[in-house]
Structure formats: C-alpha cells, structure tokens
Amino acid sequence: MIRPEDAEFHFSQGSHWQWVETIALPFCVPEANINVIVYVVTRPMLGVCMADVTIIDRITDLWEEQAYVDNQQHMPCPAKLSDFSLPNGLTVRAVDPVNHYQVEYQGIDDTWFKLDYHALHTAYDINDPAMDPLAAKRNGPAWDSSWSGHYEMTYRITGELCVRGQRMAVDCVETGDRSWGPRPERENGAVIWWHVSFGEALTCHMFVQHDIAKTNEFGALISGYILEDGELSGLVEAKGRNEYRRVMPMGGEVSVTDARGKTFDFTFSTVNGCYWAPYPSNTYLQASMRAAHKGLVGTGVQQLGLSRAYLTRHRDAIRQRY
C-alpha cells in the first residue's frame, strides 16, 4: 500500500551505494503530436541526480533530432523529493503527496512548462498482493531490486507548455511512476512499459518481459491494471506483439484480462519516438502511440527498455531479425 510518506526518500544510512529513487511525470499534447518526458533519477547515497526533459514530435532514430532535449547528469541530489528545485530549472512540489503534483520547468530557447498533475485513482502498488493479483506469486520485487518499491499513477494533467516560443495548452491523461531500491547499471533486462488512455474513461497500463532478439511477441506479464470509469483492477493476463522498423516499435496489438475477468483489446501505431538514454547503461525505444479500442481513439506510450549488455550480447540476432 502506498502512503503519502512514499513521496519522500526511502533510503537509510545502511542502503547500498547504488540506491536509486526515481520520479517519472510524462505528459502530452496530442493535437500537436508532442509527448514530453520529465524524468528524475536520484542517487542519494552518492549525493547526485539526473534530470531529463525531452520533447518528442517525430519518429527518428536520433534523440537529438527531437524538438528539445535537456538531459543533465550529476546535479546535486535534492534534500527531499516532495518539494525540490534543480539547477536545470525543474521544480517539483507534492501539494498532496502522491496524489497532486505541481511541476514547473524553465529551460533554454524560450522553452518552459507549468503543470498540475491530479491522480485519477489510488496509487497502484505493484508489490502489494492486495492490489496486484500477480504480486503474491513473486519471489521478490516485480522486476529487479530497483523496483523494491514501485507504483504507477494515471493523472489528469493541465497547464501550459511553451516549445521554442510556441505556447500551447496542456490537458491530457497520462501515466507516470515512482521507484526506489538498489539499481545496478548492468543486466537490467529487456522489458516493455506500456500504457494507453482514452480520456478519464479508460486506461490500460502494463509491464511485460520482451526478448526482442528472438520474437515480436510480448513476454510474460509482470504487472498492470485497468482503470475503467474510476474502478481500478489488476491484470491477470496479457499478450501482444510489436511490428518494428529496425528496433523502433511502429505498431501492434495488445489483449489483456483483468481480475474481474474482463478482456480489453487494443491496436496501436507509433506517432513519434526515438532512442532515449536517461542513463548510459540502458537505452529505451521511446514510442508515443495512437491507440484504438471499440471505436475509441486514445493516446499512450511504449518504452522498450534494453540494457546495453543485452543489446551487445544479441547484436547479430537483432540485426538479422530487423
């Protein structure tokens, strides 16, 4: 169960030196084909943090071909996570811890945003068997030690974004997360973090394994949920597949079943995306999606997380397949 105090740090003096705490607060402006990554990775035992603000508006193999990139490593770690400002111009404040964040950013080249994130449900604790139907069967955290504590949250996000002088209103539904635990920068596996939203009426979020070197099919379900008309229900089954351009996901289909026995089928296609590397040991194929479900059209994000150890180990198989 996630509590208000989980908006703060969880480390202690005895924590491993690789202890990491993260905050992911993405948002989008679908009518402008813009998706924005707002991601903070803190390493409190080392006293440093990374923050990334990337504004994506096209499909490309190169991160630097996107509309805006501000990725800064080794800034001072904030003293608290519920209210902090970083040297890159990012300020995050938990007005109602876990449930309501105010996020502001003053970047370069007349680029900035000012946003409110309001939670649409109780934080989804993927390690709590009372909430996640798969949690009781696991021996340890959902993925690896970096998810010793982890929750997802779907937000209604409102405010304003300015990209190189072009101002636009923000009013979207997006899913973010928060993690804490030791995070080694090696052998993080190959996984997909995937979600689609159709306004406040319906969101599907899931986290699955994926062995891209061997197959287009998604692997085992790790965690996920359906948020339908305010009701939160954990996933018990998921299957899907991607179609690829090289290793960029270009579209596919997903079918999930929740703990109520309800099945939801989705198709999706990529509208913008690129390689993204918030820390050097891992690369992510960050793909923003247009999704369809029973005549509804929604938006979402697929992060295909690939450790560089995995990529180099399977480089020939990946090149031959894609």
Side-chain angles (χ1 to χ4, degrees):
M1 181 178 183
I2 300 301
R3 299 175 174 85
E5 52 266 35
D6 288 316
E8 296 289 3
F9 281 116
H10 296 76
F11 72 96
S12 66
Q13 288 186 345
S15 295
H16 193 279
W17 67 268
Q18 290 179 313
W19 187 274
V20 162
E21 305 218 13
T22 69
I23 302 175
L25 294 167
F27 67 96
C28 61
V29 185
E31 56 271 24
N33 196 34
I34 282 177
N35 286 72
V36 184
I37 300 167
V38 182
Y39 189 48
V40 177
V41 179
T42 67
R43 291 189 176 273
M45 303 305 290
L46 301 178
V48 296
C49 79
M50 181 286 303
D52 182 274
V53 175
T54 295
I55 301 175
I56 302 174
D57 67 349
R58 64 194 61 189
I59 298 171
T60 175
D61 292 331
L62 299 177
W63 190 4
E64 59 270 24
E65 287 186 348
Q66 295 298 349
Y68 182 88
V69 177
D70 183 8
N71 180 286
Q72 297 193 36
Q73 307 280 332
H74 303 138
M75 292 184 291
C77 187
K80 56 191 300 187
L81 282 183
S82 62
D83 191 352
F84 64 88
S85 294
L86 298 176
N88 70 335
L90 180 67
T91 295
V92 176
R93 184 166 73 95
V95 180
D96 176 8
V98 177
N99 296 311
H100 177 198
Y101 281 92
Q102 289 181 337
V103 181
E104 297 186 27
Y105 172 72
Q106 291 290 335
I108 61 172
D109 299 339
D110 198 12
T111 298
W112 53 268
F113 49 78
K114 186 174 182 179
L115 304 166
D116 277 274
Y117 290 70
H118 288 276
L120 296 179
H121 59 90
T122 302
Y124 191 79
D125 184 347
I126 67 172
N127 294 316
D128 183 356
M131 180 166 280
D132 191 317
L134 303 184
K137 299 178 182 179
R138 302 187 194 114
N139 181 18
W143 180 22
D144 59 21
S145 63
S146 66
W147 285 33
S148 297
H150 182 92
Y151 67 84
E152 262 88 28
M153 186 74 87
T154 299
Y155 300 95
R156 185 94 204 189
I157 306 160
T158 56
E160 189 173 12
L161 166 68
C162 184
V163 184
R164 302 189 183 278
Q166 181 181 357
R167 298 173 67 157
M168 58 197 80
V170 176
D171 186 356
C172 66
V173 174
E174 253 287 13
T175 298
D177 70 8
R178 169 119 165 73
S179 299
W180 57 90
R183 182 172 298 200
E185 291 197 7
R186 182 187 291 165
E187 296 292 12
N188 299 112
V191 292
I192 290 175
W193 188 78
W194 187 100
H195 60 263
V196 293
S197 291
F198 302 84
E200 295 187 18
L202 178 65
T203 289
C204 176
H205 170 77
M206 68 176 190
F207 190 66
V208 296
Q209 297 176 1
H210 182 46
D211 194 351
I212 190 175
K214 297 179 181 178
T215 180
N216 288 24
E217 305 292 328
F218 292 178
L221 173 66
I222 298 171
S223 178
Y225 61 81
I226 287 287
L227 177 64
E228 185 181 26
D229 296 326
E231 182 179 357
L232 193 64
S233 182
L235 298 185
V236 296
E237 185 178 0
K239 59 183 179 180
R241 62 176 285 117
N242 275 330
E243 300 300 331
Y244 287 96
R245 172 187 170 271
R246 301 192 181 102
V247 290
M248 171 63 74
M250 295 305 297
E253 55 191 11
V254 161
S255 179
V256 301
T257 303
D258 68 12
R260 302 170 299 178
K262 295 187 70 172
T263 296
F264 299 80
D265 298 319
F266 307 94
T267 58
F268 57 93
S269 58
T270 296
V271 295
N272 60 60
C274 63
Y275 282 90
W276 174 61
Y279 35 92
S281 63
N282 271 38
T283 187
Y284 293 78
L285 278 300
Q286 175 81 13
S288 308
M289 305 179 295
R290 180 180 294 112
H293 170 73
K294 291 186 175 180
L296 300 174
V297 177
T299 61
V301 166
Q302 176 174 192
Q303 285 183 356
L304 170 54
L306 299 168
S307 76
R308 296 192 193 275
Y310 173 91
L311 286 171
T312 54
R313 181 179 301 121
H314 298 291
R315 61 178 185 172
D316 291 335
I318 291 172
R319 285 172 181 164
Q320 289 169 9
R321 290 201 67 237
Y322 303 104

